Amino acid sequence: MTTESLKLYQSGGSPNSRRVRIFIAEKNLTIPTVAVDLGKGEQHAEAYRAINPRRVVPTLVLGDGTSIGEVPAIQRYLEDAFPQHPLFGTNAKEKALITMWERRVELEGFASVMEAIRNVLPGLQGRAIAGPHDYEQIPALVERSKQRVANFYSDLEARLSEVSFVAGDRYSVADITALVTVDFATKAIDMPLPEGHVATKRWYAEVSGRASAGA
Amino acid sequence: MTTESLKLYQSGGSPNSRRVRIFIAEKNLTIPTVAVDLGKGEQHAEAYRAINPRRVVPTLVLGDGTSIGEVPAIQRYLEDAFPQHPLFGTNAKEKALITMWERRVELEGFASVMEAIRNVLPGLQGRAIAGPHDYEQIPALVERSKQRVANFYSDLEARLSEVSFVAGDRYSVADITALVTVDFATKAIDMPLPEGHVATKRWYAEVSGRASAGA
């Protein structure tokens, strides 16, 4: 199994694409990429819909033409196919705990930032949820989502006051999701890490200082 | 590794608990359970919060006291620890595709039903999102969530017109999430499968006819 037969369809500005790019960099892999221009609506064009009917990036296409969508599915495929530098843990218990923490970060942090931005941007009117179906924005969701991000930050600070990394004593895929969430919240909804969150800032300096963070 | 050292904290009426119960039944395992009475608010009591600070069911507690929360994390732990009757696939590609399909069903179907019910029930005022934090209900979400469930049903019908099971030609964890979603939508928000969805009804008859569906 080599990486040359793979293709990652992705977008430079997409936080979901960045979750996969950092994952690939941490595993020291080189995978050819194909840019999907979201600004031009290329995700809705027939060519991309044939690859991913949900019309979202990223998608990993295998050498035999199989398309794998959804960030955790792509990450798990890469972990199985290229076991070096494991990011999901190495035994059943560790894997379960990393899966649990990554999911909490995604549902409480990442998804909340996404919900806030999609329900407020004028350019996303009628497109409040990514995918093939159109949904109207709900303005009341914006404030509730921001409240969720604030609570996520508090919970993360409590967690990182007790352990070095999100899932425990080692860097994992849960740190990737958390890092992308913080950067996304800072940029998209002007919610940087709060001043007093010293444990999270210590963690942030460490994970954002890794070479993979530039991916 | 035996199952006697495990404990599943769960609730009979909780659809997330049912996802794990069906998974356990399909793997032919017997795991001792502990009932958490959600009606009495036992999930908010100190004893349960020590096990799962997110205050949601189910949680799997291992023999060494480790708590594993989040349905997919529990399911993956059980799959790793007890590989018989695999429900997540048997090679990297199959595993990735099952992960992808299960996640789409969860995000588009299951989560939409949950969002609809939590934003409308009088008893859940101030508790629109499960977990340790309180959030007000947003009435506008109820209709949008129901629209999402309707779209999920259409997409599922298209998918099951092409393949036997949600993730392809074999029963998998994606079918468990889809079955629980349909039953949950029928019961909680009065959205049974639409009349003309013959492919989905063929699939539903098959998966709900398995012994595990009674779990």
Side-chain angles (χ1 to χ4, degrees):
Chain A
M1 162 69 71
T2 63
T3 55
E4 292 99 65
S5 63
L6 304 174
K7 259 188 204 157
L8 181 72
Y9 287 76
Q10 62 98 42
S11 159
S14 138
N16 272 313
S17 297
R18 187 172 177 229
R19 289 165 70 187
V20 173
R21 290 197 305 268
I22 295 177
F23 192 92
I24 289 170
E26 283 287 339
K27 291 186 83 70
N28 256 327
L29 300 171
T30 306
I31 295 177
T33 60
V34 181
V36 180
D37 191 328
L38 304 182
K40 285 189 183 156
E42 283 182 2
Q43 71 275 31
H44 300 298
E46 211 169 320
Y48 189 72
R49 284 161 60 180
I51 291 168
N52 190 327
R54 271 197 87 199
R55 313 185 195 177
V56 291
V57 287
T59 306
L60 183 70
V61 178
L62 311 187
D64 68 0
T66 302
S67 289
I68 300 170
E70 303 301 318
V71 172
I74 296 171
Q75 291 171 331
R76 282 179 186 281
Y77 177 82
L78 295 172
E79 181 91 342
D80 279 342
F82 309 99
Q84 71 268 26
H85 306 293
L87 293 161
F88 276 101
T90 53
N91 59 56
K93 185 167 99 174
E94 203 179 76
K95 285 179 185 182
L97 291 172
I98 290 172
T99 299
M100 174 183 85
W101 282 109
E102 195 280 332
R103 182 174 161 94
R104 286 180 176 171
V105 171
E106 188 189 39
L107 295 183
E108 297 171 354
F110 188 87
S112 302
V113 183
M114 189 63 86
E115 191 173 69
I117 195 70
R118 290 201 73 100
N119 282 280
V120 74
L121 276 191
L124 290 173
Q125 273 177 24
R127 296 287 310 148
I129 299 173
H133 306 291
D134 293 334
Y135 298 99
E136 292 304 321
Q137 293 175 330
I138 297 178
L141 263 177
V142 181
E143 272 318 301
R144 193 174 87 178
S145 304
K146 287 186 175 175
Q147 195 188 332
R148 291 176 70 192
V149 176
N151 286 330
F152 164 72
Y153 276 163
S154 297
D155 292 342
L156 185 63
E157 174 67 10
R159 172 72 181 160
L160 291 170
S161 301
E162 289 172 358
V163 291
S164 302
F165 294 99
V166 172
D169 57 7
R170 261 192 284 180
Y171 182 91
S172 78
V173 67
D175 296 291
I176 296 177
T177 306
L179 169 64
V180 173
T181 299
V182 172
D183 287 344
F184 185 27
T186 303
K187 192 175 160 188
I189 57 172
D190 194 24
M191 285 187 72
L193 288 175
E195 265 319 304
H197 287 204
V198 292
T200 311
K201 291 196 170 188
R202 179 263 309 150
W203 162 87
Y204 182 84
E206 180 155 349
V207 297
S208 67
R210 294 168 80 102
S212 66
Chain B
M1 162 70 68
T2 63
T3 56
E4 292 99 66
S5 63
L6 304 175
K7 259 188 204 157
L8 181 70
Y9 286 75
Q10 62 98 41
S11 158
S14 139
N16 272 314
S17 297
R18 188 173 176 228
R19 290 165 70 187
V20 172
R21 289 197 305 268
I22 296 178
F23 191 92
I24 289 170
E26 284 286 339
K27 292 186 82 72
N28 257 327
L29 300 172
T30 305
I31 295 178
T33 60
V34 180
V36 180
D37 191 328
L38 304 181
K40 286 190 184 155
E42 283 181 5
Q43 72 275 28
H44 301 298
E46 209 169 321
Y48 189 72
R49 284 161 60 180
I51 291 168
N52 189 326
R54 268 198 88 201
R55 311 185 196 178
V56 290
V57 286
T59 306
L60 183 70
V61 178
L62 311 187
D64 69 0
T66 302
S67 289
I68 301 170
E70 303 301 318
V71 172
I74 295 171
Q75 291 171 329
R76 284 181 185 279
Y77 177 82
L78 295 173
E79 181 92 343
D80 279 342
F82 309 99
Q84 70 267 27
H85 308 293
L87 293 162
F88 275 102
T90 53
N91 60 58
K93 186 167 97 175
E94 206 179 75
K95 285 180 186 180
L97 290 172
I98 290 172
T99 299
M100 175 183 83
W101 282 108
E102 195 279 332
R103 183 174 159 93
R104 285 180 177 170
V105 171
E106 189 189 38
L107 294 183
E108 297 172 355
F110 188 88
S112 302
V113 183
M114 189 63 87
E115 191 172 69
I117 194 69
R118 292 200 72 102
N119 282 280
V120 75
L121 275 193
L124 289 173
Q125 274 177 24
R127 296 287 310 149
I129 299 173
H133 306 291
D134 293 334
Y135 298 100
E136 290 305 320
Q137 293 176 328
I138 297 178
L141 262 178
V142 181
E143 273 318 301
R144 193 173 88 178
S145 303
K146 287 184 175 177
Q147 197 188 331
R148 292 176 70 192
V149 176
N151 287 329
F152 163 72
Y153 276 162
S154 298
D155 292 343
L156 185 63
E157 175 67 10
R159 173 72 181 159
L160 291 170
S161 302
E162 291 173 356
V163 291
S164 303
F165 294 99
V166 173
D169 57 7
R170 260 191 285 179
Y171 182 92
S172 76
V173 67
D175 296 291
I176 296 177
T177 306
L179 170 64
V180 173
T181 299
V182 172
D183 287 343
F184 184 27
T186 304
K187 193 176 160 189
I189 57 172
D190 194 24
M191 285 187 73
L193 288 176
E195 264 320 303
H197 288 205
V198 293
T200 311
K201 290 196 171 189
R202 179 263 309 150
W203 163 86
Y204 182 84
E206 182 156 348
V207 297
S208 65
R210 295 168 79 101
S212 64

